[in-house]
Amino acid sequence: MELTQEQIVRYSRHIMLKEVGGEGQKKILQSKVLIIGAGGLGAPVALYLAAAGVGTLGIVDADVVDLTNLQRQVIHATPDVGKPKVQSAQETINQINPDVKVITYQTLFKAENALAILGDYDFVVDGTDNFPAKFLINDACVMANKPFSHGGILRFDGQTMTVLPGKSACYRCVFNEMPPAGVVPTCSQAGVLGAVAGILGTIQAAETLKYILGYDDAGNRHACSLLTDRLLIMNAKSMQFREVRFKKNPDCPVCGAHPSINRLADYEQKACELKREA
Amino acid sequence: MIRIPHTIVNSIIHTARRGAPLETCGLLGGQGEVISFFYELTNADASAEHFTLIPEEHLFAIKDARRRGLNILGVVHSHPASPARPSEEDLKLANDPNMLYFILSLAGPEPVLKVFQIRQHIPREVPLEIAIGTREYGRLVLPDSVVQDIQGVRHQVESFVRKETDAVRFRAYRVPMGLYEQRQDGAYMARTRLPGGVADAHQLETLADLAERFGQGVLHFTTRQDIQLHNLAIENVPTVLETLLGAGLVCRGGGGNTVRNITGSPLAGLSPTETFDILPYVVQISEHLLPHAGSYNLPRKYKIALVSEIHDERLLRVADLGLRARLKDGQPGFEVWAGGGMGTHSLPSVQIAEFIPAQEAVLYAEAIKRLFDQYGDRTNKHRARLRFVVQRLGESAFKELVQQFLAQVRQEIKTVPPLRVRQYAAVGGKVLSELLPDVVEGVGPGRYAIRFRPWLGDVTSAELRTIAQAVKRYALEFRADCGQGFYLAQVKGEDVAAILETLKAFYQPVPAAAPLACTGAATCRLGMCLSRGLAQAIRETVLALPEDRQKSLPRIRISGCPNSCGQHPVAELGFYGAAKRVGGRLMPFYNVVVFRPEGKTLGQKVGDLPAKAVPAFIQQLESLDTIAETLAAFQTYPSYEEAPDYYRDWGQTVDFSLAGRGPGECGAGVLDVIELDLKTAENELRQAENSQGAVSSAALYQAAVAAMRSLLIIRGVETQKPREIFSAFQQHFILPGWVDPAVEKFIPALLDFRLGDLADLQAWGPLVRSLAARIRELYASLDGNLNFRITPLAIAEKAADALAAEPASDLHQVDLRGTPCPMNFVLAKLEIEKIPVGHRLEVYLDEGDPIKNVPASFQDQGQNVEKIGDAPGKGKSVIIRRTV
């Protein structure tokens, strides 16, 4: 492919970078990224990847835009309340960058459709807000050998890591099992500072772009390294970032040498107790 | 709540322990509720139960505190055998309700310090906080960013140890952290900066402990008030830096292209001969520059020196920014000098301002930093220091620029509080050198300062601990100086003898017997000569001289190569290493330099002589005024057969060689030798052209040998034997394609000529000429790591073969005139991605920013900018070779 004049201008600040260049920008334009969840994390991820010119963005979300979403889900606007989130996100992305093709999936990400949706995407971003989905995404990505970025936020805290199945530790290497329902509250129970979603989401977007550019190992000549084998944990109150390092667990139930999880299942844990009662 | 720094508490405890069983006493200065200065005073009663201050000392402390901008907040005394509460006597004598009464008890297993206010003879205890890292006189508060940088070291080091970071990238990280790799692989040096040379006993002990645990007990005092730890294993570096940080010490900015340690006259605040106490300004400028990330990514290093004593003024002229303390109408201020520096190309600084109010010093430091950042030549580190900016722009344009940047800085930094400084009404303190050399009068009644010169700045951990103990025991102030040594100040007259006895190993009252020397070729890849060996020889020579001759000689400074690590440009008598070919062999040599402190320039070379002749020369040197005559007697060199020793450096039993030396950073020494050989080749070529027959052939032969030999040194080959030269040249230059392959066929002819089987070489004349030209070209393209920046002929040819289908030229063009920045770079970059690696792209650009910015951007991205010039009819042009 050749860059058009408009693309050269649009992406000039990328092209100037030693680590991107025209070749790197073409890689971005040809890449396909799946974002699961068009909420607090998915919104900044989708906005930045769209602006960066990711050629195909798949967006999975079953919900419609709610007024309570707008405090942090910056891809949706007030007139979008009531619209399916995937549609609202698609409209915003189209306005930002006509280069981006958006594929929408207005459904929950479930065991039965997971592998079909993952399809031929190059990279997956976990922007979900509940443990069953996070474990499912991890297991599905490991089985389908899809690299992905895990992200999670709560109150003033956030955490993220990048997983290259087979190469680096997966989410289950770190968190073997999900916590029992109710032990860890979700955003809608406990609240979240909107900007924390932005911080975490943009980190995930940066990881996505680095992966697309081919910086998936420490030996690349530009010294970019992905957030693999380390969990980045941030707290916006003290505004401190720290890293917890770990290794691939050889006994991991999904990516270990003898995996005990061999097929996908929808895990039992209610995402939000309060919402159900409401 | 009263706050007192833990260092002062330590001083109080040490003083009390030393004085026990008698009570000791002192006064505490500070501001508000913060104590920042301790005056140890004499207990006139010399009693175990009560104390009285001596009025003279009391008055001195009050005046001194006032000069420092402090108040006397408290009085402290010890209770060697009773609890930390006021005695009946204490309550009876306490009559100042505002005074804080500190009592240190040594009665229990641990010392206890308490503080009371006493009103109408009734004590009330005041809460006391012993603070770590609070502001103290002369000590900087480490900026958070620097603390965080150091906390990041562990991660960086671990990543390097796990081989996730390669050595080159790690070097770029570690050098600005003050970490250098030593000549032996895997050993590191950490340079701890001491602004103004200040360190307390606890810090010295920390350094000693770290050297002992991790550095084989080796420490080194530098010429810029740093203390270095050596032989550190990389795995231990994080622990070392974290421990140093815990003691308030940092290495950040100890090396690399950073704001280096800010030096000050070592006895600042402790000397009656100083103009005023500059130490607060050393601290202020350090605290201003250290937190900025920009201070660690300058074109080259940025050295700042503050000077308040006449004998330190030489340092003013060789600093990037030199500030000389001045008083004008009684107000403290500075004379400003900028753009000085020592290296292979030393230049004295130029005067920027005759007098600026003292509080503007920090503005100048910032302005010069910005100017340097913007105008320093980042593409050529050998010409990157500020002095080359001055040289390039000219003095007046440079001064104008300083004013521009200063105006910018003034916009941003509106107010700088003037610091309170100690100031003396008249300069009149006397040096008591008639009493004892190197013992000078200090401030305060009966106080002295003693100068110590450990041999070449080296001390062991045990020795440093002894120094630290002396500092504690005698309540001294330690200051590192700018000459590989240190001062101990605030010495009481009665303690002088005991301290000299304790530290006699470092007390060298004959300056000439304590030369200052760089590390030399033994451990430095740049070095040519073994400067330390010469220093030892000089010491022995000087100490054998009669006493009056010993005293008449100045301190000698020795650099092993033209780089000025041994400070030879500011030495009253200096030497720097060189090599000369004598009868085809290399002889270690020294150039002799003389510096007149009153002169306008740096030291001037007055001649040279063999390294082995230096001690005899010093022995015969009557006076610096007749140095030329003395030197003239050393201008005949013995042949190898007569005196092989002359061809060996000090302490060596093998012949002198430069093989294996690299330029590393500057490499001037090696380059000199290459230059020498190349000149020889070119002279012989001229000789060949201007003569005929056998003479001409012989000259051609010599030219070929010299040309081939010249660059072998950078491949680690140093030999005189033609056959070895030819075979090494074949291996290192012909086969890899650096020179015309036809030279290969020429070598048999050279061998035949040498053996007499061939009489005439003239047919080879054009080849020798092109060879010499090619070698000159290769030499000119050497970069700082001794790599050629031009492509081998063989590779260029192969590339041409591979592209036989394409036009012969590997030069592609794009015309980007009319395209503004930065879009011109974006488009040029897209063009260069289209051409194969190894090919060149010529970009036509507009004058001004485009031709300035685009080549710099390519350079930044690792492409090779080969040529910038005019393209007739097409504006400016830059040719870039695609390397990545």
Side-chain angles (χ1 to χ4, degrees), chain B residues 488-553:
Chain B
L488 293 180
Q490 298 305 83
V491 180
K492 287 187 199 145
E494 67 261 32
D495 292 338
V496 169
I499 290 170
L500 285 179
E501 177 59 25
T502 310
L503 298 176
K504 63 179 173 228
F506 307 133
Y507 180 63
Q508 179 43 270
V510 181
L516 188 155
C518 70
T519 177
T523 51
C524 170
R525 269 173 57 77
L526 314 183
M528 302 189 79
C529 294
L530 295 162
S531 43
R532 294 185 148 219
L534 177 64
Q536 185 66 39
I538 289 176
R539 175 192 174 90
E540 286 161 15
T541 304
V542 169
L543 290 177
L545 290 172
E547 209 170 301
D548 58 325
R549 287 286 323 282
Q550 287 184 3
K551 281 188 190 155
S552 73
L553 287 167

Side-chain angles (χ1 to χ4, degrees), chain A residues 39-157:
Chain A
L41 291 171
V45 173
L47 290 174
Y48 274 96
L49 293 185
V54 167
T56 304
L57 276 178
I59 302 179
V60 187
D61 204 309
D63 275 350
V64 294
V65 179
D66 183 279
L67 193 58
T68 61
N69 298 151
L70 300 186
Q71 159 261 12
R72 64 192 177 284
Q73 301 181 9
V74 291
I75 202 165
H76 314 298
T78 312
D80 298 324
V81 171
K83 246 185 230 174
K85 283 186 177 176
V86 289
Q87 185 198 333
S88 162
Q90 182 176 33
E91 287 168 8
T92 309
I93 291 169
N94 287 343
Q95 281 192 17
I96 293 172
N97 190 346
D99 285 344
V100 181
K101 178 180 157 201
V102 181
I103 301 175
T104 59
Y105 305 87
Q106 198 190 342
T107 168
L108 289 171
F109 190 77
K110 304 285 279 182
E112 79 251 12
N113 63 11
L115 295 173
I117 293 176
L118 290 182
D120 61 348
Y121 285 99
D122 302 316
F123 193 88
V124 178
V125 180
D126 170 8
T128 63
D129 66 346
N130 63 83
F131 285 105
K134 291 192 183 303
F135 277 85
L136 177 63
I137 290 168
N138 181 71
D139 296 352
C141 284
V142 169
M143 286 181 196
N145 198 23
K146 293 279 174 210
F148 74 100
S149 166
H150 154 80
I153 47 172
L154 190 65
R155 297 189 184 111
F156 286 83
D157 298 294

Side-chain angles (χ1 to χ4, degrees), chain B residues 316 321-326 328 333-338 349-357 360-361 364 368 395 398-399 402-403 406 410:
Chain B
L316 194 69
L321 173 61
L323 296 163
R324 178 203 304 232
R326 290 267 149 163
K328 190 175 175 185
F334 292 102
E335 198 177 294
V336 184
W337 296 76
S349 53
V350 298
Q351 197 181 48
I352 300 294
E354 278 181 21
F355 184 87
I356 60 164
E360 297 207 339
Y364 275 80
I368 299 274
E395 200 176 318
F398 175 75
K399 287 181 184 171
V402 172
Q403 292 308 318
L406 195 64
R410 281 188 211 274

Side-chain angles (χ1 to χ4, degrees), chain B residues 455-466:
Chain B
W455 179 242
L456 302 177
D458 293 340
V459 294
T460 65
S461 49
E463 288 168 338
L464 187 62
R465 200 167 285 126
T466 309

Side-chain angles (χ1 to χ4, degrees), chain B residues 263-274:
Chain B
T263 64
S265 287
L267 289 179
L270 299 168
S271 163
T273 57
E274 69 184 348

Side-chain angles (χ1 to χ4, degrees), chain A residues 7-248:
Chain A
Q7 285 175 331
I8 291 173
V9 177
R10 178 185 284 268
Y11 303 118
S12 59
R13 296 308 189 266
H14 266 170
I15 295 168
M16 287 162 80
L17 289 172
K18 181 162 86 175
E19 294 78 1
V20 183
E23 293 305 317
Q25 187 57 48
K26 287 179 202 168
K27 284 185 195 168
I28 296 173
L29 284 165
Q30 288 165 343
S31 66
K32 303 174 84 174
V33 175
L34 181 70
I35 302 168
I36 305 177
L41 291 171
V45 173
L47 290 174
Y48 274 96
L49 293 185
V54 167
T56 304
L57 276 178
I59 302 179
V60 187
D61 204 309
D63 275 350
V64 294
V65 179
D66 183 279
L67 193 58
T68 61
N69 298 151
L70 300 186
Q71 159 261 12
R72 64 192 177 284
Q73 301 181 9
V74 291
I75 202 165
H76 314 298
T78 312
D80 298 324
V81 171
K83 246 185 230 174
K85 283 186 177 176
V86 289
Q87 185 198 333
S88 162
Q90 182 176 33
E91 287 168 8
T92 309
I93 291 169
N94 287 343
Q95 281 192 17
I96 293 172
N97 190 346
D99 285 344
V100 181
K101 178 180 157 201
V102 181
I103 301 175
T104 59
Y105 305 87
Q106 198 190 342
T107 168
L108 289 171
F109 190 77
K110 304 285 279 182
E112 79 251 12
N113 63 11
L115 295 173
I117 293 176
L118 290 182
D120 61 348
Y121 285 99
D122 302 316
F123 193 88
V124 178
V125 180
D126 170 8
T128 63
D129 66 346
N130 63 83
F131 285 105
K134 291 192 183 303
F135 277 85
L136 177 63
I137 290 168
N138 181 71
D139 296 352
C141 284
V142 169
M143 286 181 196
N145 198 23
K146 293 279 174 210
F148 74 100
S149 166
H150 154 80
I153 47 172
L154 190 65
R155 297 189 184 111
F156 286 83
D157 298 294
Q159 62 175 44
T160 175
M161 69 182 277
T162 301
V163 176
L164 303 178
K167 289 188 192 164
S168 74
C170 81
Y171 188 53
R172 268 199 203 270
C173 292
V174 193
F175 304 104
N176 195 334
E177 296 246 345
M178 72 186 86
V183 171
V184 180
T186 68
C187 292
S188 36
Q189 289 171 299
V192 62
L193 188 73
V196 170
I199 297 171
L200 255 289
T202 45
I203 292 174
Q204 289 185 288
E207 285 289 292
T208 307
L209 292 171
K210 278 158 55 191
Y211 177 80
I212 292 168
L213 289 167
Y215 303 135
D216 55 347
D217 64 75
N220 67 73
R221 68 186 159 88
H222 293 303
C224 297
S225 58
L226 291 173
L227 192 56
T228 48
D229 289 340
R230 50 203 170 107
L231 185 69
L232 180 69
I233 300 171
M234 62 100 39
N235 174 276
K237 275 200 266 187
S238 60
M239 204 46 91
Q240 280 180 324
F241 286 69
R242 63 192 180 92
E243 277 183 24
V244 179
R245 297 183 154 264
F246 44 79
K247 293 207 174 79
K248 200 168 176 302

Side-chain angles (χ1 to χ4, degrees), chain B residues 286-298:
Chain B
S286 300
E287 286 180 355
H288 172 77
L289 292 176
L290 279 175
H292 295 297
S295 297
Y296 305 100
N297 186 24
L298 293 168

Side-chain angles (χ1 to χ4, degrees), chain A residues 2-3 8-9 12-13 15-18 21-23 218 220-221 223 243 245, chain B residues 155 158-159 162 164 169 822-823 825-827 829-830 833-834 860-862 884:
Chain A
E2 283 299 316
L3 298 174
I8 291 173
V9 177
S12 59
R13 296 308 189 266
I15 295 168
M16 287 162 80
L17 289 172
K18 181 162 86 175
E23 293 305 317
N220 67 73
R221 68 186 159 88
E243 277 183 24
R245 297 183 154 264
Chain B
H155 172 63
E158 283 172 0
S159 160
R162 281 198 307 266
E164 287 168 15
R169 212 172 299 129
M823 203 41 87
F825 170 64
V826 171
L827 294 175
K829 190 173 170 187
L830 289 170
E833 287 181 4
K834 291 180 191 160
D860 275 353
Q861 305 212 338
V884 288

